Structure formats: C-alpha cells, structure tokens
Amino acid sequence: MKNLRVQNSYAGILQIALPISVAILIPQLSILTNTAFLGYYQPASGIEPQTLLAASGVAGIFYLTLVMIGYGLVSGILMMMSRKAGENDHAGLAYIFRNGWILTVALGLVLLILSQGFAPWLFRHFIHEEATRKAAIQFIRIRSWGLPFIMISQFSNSLFLSISASRFIIIGSSAQTITNVLFDYLLIFGVGIFPEMGLEGSALASVISEMVYALVVFTLIQRHTLFSEYRLQQLHRPDKPLIKKMFITSMPLMMQYLLSIGAWEVFFIYVEHLGKSESALSQIYRSVFGFVGVAAWALASTCNSMVSNVIGQNALDEVIPLMKKIIRMSFGFALVVGLPMLLFPHFFLRLLTRDAVLVDMGTSSLRIVVLATWMLSVSTILFNGVVGTGKTQLNMIFEFVSIAFYLIYNTLVIEYLRMPLPYAWMSEFVYWFTLFVLSFGYFYKGYWRKGLETA
C-alpha cells in the first residue's frame, strides 16, 4: 500500500501545495470574472453597478462566514486523518473519513436552514442603503443553497490532502470554475434562452457550480482506483464517540473561523456606512485579496497537513525547518504576484470596473491591500502550523485576541471617526500582525512540543 508519510523538502512541499494553489487560483479567477461582470452590468431597472458590487460584497462575506465554519470542521478532521497518514494507518484514516462524511453533510444542512432565516434579519437591521439591502437579501436567499455541496467538496479535498493526492483538487475546482464563469455570463446578462437575472443570476450560477464540484469529487472517490485500497465505500454504523470527538476537536477551529470571517462581515457593514463607492471598492479589493493570497492559502493548508503528518512520524525536530521552508515559499509567491498590482494599480482596477471615479478613488487602498497580503503570507503559515500541532483551543484564543484588536480598530476608525477607506483597510495589518506575534511566540518559546515529545 502507498506510503503516506510526507518528505520534509521543497519538492515534497510543492508536490502537495502546487495542485492546491492551482485549485485555489482557478476559482479566484472565477471570482474576479464575476466581479468584472457585475462591474460592467447595466440593469434595465436602473440599479447602479456600485449597488450590485456593494450587495455582492456584504452578502458574499456572510456566505463565506458560513463556509468557513464548515472549513473549521474539515480542518479538524484533516488534522486527524493526516496524523493517521503519518502513522501509515490506512484503515484508521478511512474510518475517520467515513464518519466525518456524516458530520460534514449534517453541518451543511444546518447552516443552510439557519442562513435562510438569519441573513435577511441581519441585512435589514444593519445595511443602511435600501437598494443594497434588498439586493443582498435576494442574493443570499439563492446563494445559501450551495452550502451542503461546498461542504461535501471541502471534506473530499481534505481526504486528497491527507493522502498527498492534492492533484485531484484541480479536477473539481476546474469543473466548478468553468461552470461558474459560463453560467455567470448567461444568467447575469441574459443570453439566448437564459433570463437576465443580474445579481441573482450570479448567485444561481455559483450554486450550480458548487453542485458540479461536489458531483465531480464524489465520483472521483467512488470510481478512481487510488481510493479503492481505503474501502471508503464500505458502510458502517456511525461511530458516535468518534463523531463526537471530531466535533469537539474541530469546535475551536469552527469558532475561530466564525469569529475571523464574521469580523470581516462587520468590517464590510461598517464600510457600507461610509458610502456606496467605498463598499463597491471593498468588494473589488476582496477579490484582489483572494487572488494575491492564493499561494499563501494553499501553503497554509499544506502546512497544517504536513506538520500533522511529521508529528505522526514522531519527527518533531523536522517541524520548524519544514515551516521555515513553507514561509519562504509563501512570501516569495505573494511578493511576485502582488508587485505588479502595487506598481500599476490603475491598470488592474480598470480591468474590474469601468467606473472612472472608482478607479481614481481606489488606488491607495489597493496598494494597502497588496501589502497586507504580504503580511498574511507569513502569519497564516505560522497560524496553520499551530493547527497542525493539534492545539486547536490555543488557535481559538489567538484568533479571539487578534479579532478583538481588529474590531476595536475598525469601530474607532470607520464607525466613529469615519476616516477614508485606506485607513479602514489598514485594519488588515492590525489583525495579521497580532496573529503573527502570538503564533511566532508559541513556536519560538517551544510550547508546541508539550504533550508531543512522549507521543
């Protein structure tokens, strides 16, 4: 059977991270395309493109918050499967996967039900602009139907990561992106037999693409010969103690991501209070943030999986050298991708909107966003290294402290002082620097070794 132990080398890191980077990059290009479509769309009803971008930003972050709760669950289960992989325990890994599947699908359905009732209430009470509020509610009522499917996709991806088969993630994400871009164009603008749906068309296109993604990865797991040795298709009665352990292990990560992306939702609501232009620009920056941070997010997932795997091998002395390699790669990629945007911000803004006012207004903030991704590229690796050591409760504490500073800054600078948009986006430095200090101290002081040296 395949040796599941990873190698502490640049080649070993790239073997896992490169497919993930491509898999993350592909949907990020889809998000950029979606933002450009909405930026150029002129609805017959007279709603301004700025309104559509603003509504997409607020509602999109709310959806992302729910998705990241699921990602927290999946990250906890990934850590457990990667530990089994480091021990070369194929049967144990498969057993965790089969039971984790039940928990993941159940969470997706619960989040779908909650979002249908809570999101409209939240938007009615906190979004000031009436047109933006109505558009955001219409968007999220459709968009939230993708939650069960994206949970299935995320969980399947965790299996690919744990057995160092991350190349399969590219297949699913490619199918998702092609579907998303195609239906975005058809349903936003109304082409041929397809109705012109505008922002609602964007939401529906995303749901369809997530259904396709889930179908592709499910088919891969069922049909590809690589997974036959794990006997994932075998059905057993749910192991309730194991499911409970997964949930308890993952709960701090779920809370961490809820707080993290939830704080971003607060940020976007605050920015909406500054004005329609500021809100529309922030939606563009969100797309840029994701695009420049592609390698960092991919390498962060790689770090979580590889650190868990190395600890499973009981090779604790390799953990820090491994993380140093990943940090160098993460910062290098972010630097190369972000530098052109830093030097030519007008060019990139004109690709995403034809509104000259937004282009002129957004240059300074775009540069700040790019610089923030460079800070992110280091901090997120260290933070996911903490996840990989299994100290998920400590992760939640680090996240809570960082978010506390982040929200205090945003409340003072945006909500009370009403300072310009560049100062608002400076909050990203507050968050990522705090996370860096806490995570760096955890490894520098050697606290991560406690409880592992005798494992």
Side-chain angles (χ1 to χ4, degrees):
M1 300 182 80
K2 178 183 176 183
N3 186 351
L4 299 179
R5 293 181 173 180
V6 299
Q7 299 299 316
N8 182 1
S9 64
Y10 285 109
I13 295 168
L14 277 175
Q15 183 181 3
I16 299 175
L18 194 57
I20 305 174
S21 297
V22 175
I24 295 176
L25 174 62
I26 293 171
Q28 286 301 328
L29 292 174
S30 176
I31 293 172
L32 285 171
T33 304
N34 176 269
T35 302
F37 283 163
L38 291 176
Y40 279 81
Y41 175 62
Q42 290 289 348
S45 59
I47 299 177
E48 298 177 2
Q50 288 188 17
T51 299
L52 298 180
L53 284 171
S56 175
V58 174
I61 292 297
F62 179 85
Y63 180 77
L64 182 61
T65 302
L66 300 181
V67 169
M68 294 306 288
I69 293 174
Y71 184 72
L73 174 66
V74 167
S75 295
I77 300 173
L78 167 63
M79 179 192 65
M80 296 173 68
M81 289 195 296
S82 295
R83 192 69 61 87
K84 291 295 182 183
E87 298 167 359
N88 255 332
D89 184 356
H90 292 67
L93 187 153
Y95 192 67
I96 291 173
F97 176 84
R98 286 194 295 267
N99 284 276
W101 176 271
I102 299 170
L103 184 58
T104 303
V105 172
L107 178 63
L109 294 173
V110 169
L111 292 176
L112 167 61
I113 294 169
L114 289 175
S115 66
Q116 289 290 316
F118 179 68
W121 177 87
L122 180 71
F123 296 160
R124 289 191 192 102
H125 284 78
F126 293 100
I127 298 178
H128 291 176
E129 180 74 28
E130 183 178 359
T132 302
R133 180 170 59 249
K134 289 181 177 179
I137 291 173
Q138 291 170 346
F139 179 89
I140 200 64
R141 286 194 188 279
I142 298 173
R143 187 73 183 88
S144 57
W145 284 96
L147 283 166
F149 303 104
I150 198 168
M151 298 293 174
I152 292 171
S153 303
Q154 286 182 338
F155 185 65
S156 300
N157 290 345
S158 72
L159 172 67
F160 302 150
L161 274 174
S162 65
I163 63 173
S164 301
S166 55
R167 64 187 183 277
F168 288 103
I169 300 176
I170 298 177
I171 300 173
S173 61
S174 298
Q176 178 193 27
T177 300
I178 293 170
T179 304
N180 199 3
V181 172
L182 175 62
F183 280 95
D184 262 340
Y185 177 69
L186 296 175
L187 293 172
I188 290 176
F189 297 102
V191 179
I193 62 172
F194 294 90
E196 181 182 337
M197 298 177 65
L199 184 61
E200 293 179 54
S202 169
L204 182 57
S206 296
V207 173
I208 294 171
S209 69
E210 285 166 353
M211 292 174 66
V212 170
Y213 196 158
L215 178 62
V216 169
V217 294
F218 181 78
T219 303
L220 283 171
I221 291 173
Q222 292 293 317
R223 301 295 183 185
H224 199 281
T225 55
L226 176 64
F227 305 103
S228 60
E229 66 186 58
Y230 298 98
R231 300 179 181 177
L232 300 173
Q233 296 87 353
Q234 289 185 353
L235 297 177
H236 297 278
R237 294 181 62 183
D239 186 335
K240 293 181 181 178
L242 177 59
I243 291 175
K244 181 179 178 181
K245 180 182 178 182
M246 289 180 191
F247 188 77
I248 293 173
T249 300
S250 303
M251 177 59 75
L253 294 174
M254 294 163 66
M255 291 298 299
Q256 164 204 317
Y257 287 118
L258 172 62
L259 293 171
S260 175
I261 309 300
W264 222 21
E265 175 75 352
V266 173
F267 170 81
F268 271 79
I269 290 174
Y270 282 172
V271 169
E272 190 270 337
H273 298 168
L274 291 179
K276 191 181 300 181
S277 297
E278 287 82 356
S279 189
L281 275 171
S282 292
Q283 165 61 6
I284 293 174
Y285 299 148
R286 181 172 76 95
S287 302
V288 172
F289 202 82
F291 181 76
V292 179
V294 161
W297 299 124
L299 286 163
S301 296
T302 303
C303 183
N304 177 0
S305 179
M306 292 189 74
V307 167
S308 296
N309 192 296
V310 167
I311 291 173
Q313 299 176 38
N314 203 28
L316 300 188
D317 290 339
E318 293 188 26
V319 170
I320 299 300
L322 170 66
M323 291 179 59
K324 287 181 178 179
K325 291 185 180 77
I326 297 175
I327 287 172
R328 292 188 197 106
M329 295 171 68
S330 179
F331 182 77
F333 279 120
L335 182 68
V336 170
V337 175
L339 196 58
M341 294 186 186
L342 190 74
L343 298 176
F344 309 105
H346 275 84
F347 173 78
F348 286 96
L349 286 171
R350 281 196 294 267
L351 291 177
L352 298 175
T353 179
R354 61 181 177 185
D355 191 323
V357 175
L358 290 183
V359 172
D360 291 335
M361 180 181 171
T363 302
S364 298
S365 296
L366 179 59
R367 288 193 169 110
I368 290 171
V369 169
V370 172
L371 291 173
T373 60
W374 294 352
M375 183 79 243
L376 173 157
S377 69
V378 176
S379 300
T380 192
I381 303 302
L382 285 170
F383 187 62
N384 275 270
V386 181
V387 178
T389 64
K391 307 296 176 63
T392 54
Q393 291 183 342
L394 199 60
N395 275 90
M396 187 173 67
I397 295 172
F398 289 178
E399 188 74 52
F400 182 82
V401 173
S402 302
I403 287 171
F405 282 107
Y406 176 80
L407 289 176
I408 290 170
Y409 177 91
N410 282 328
T411 302
L412 290 174
V413 170
I414 306 174
E415 193 70 357
Y416 286 102
L417 299 178
R418 302 285 179 177
M419 296 184 73
L421 192 60
Y423 292 94
W425 277 93
M426 286 289 290
S427 61
E428 291 298 320
F429 287 98
V430 175
Y431 172 79
W432 289 110
F433 182 73
T434 305
L435 207 59
F436 168 81
V437 170
L438 294 171
S439 301
F440 179 81
Y442 170 72
F443 284 105
Y444 183 76
K445 295 291 186 180
Y447 298 137
W448 66 276
R449 284 181 172 268
K450 292 182 179 180
L452 296 175
E453 292 179 316
T454 57

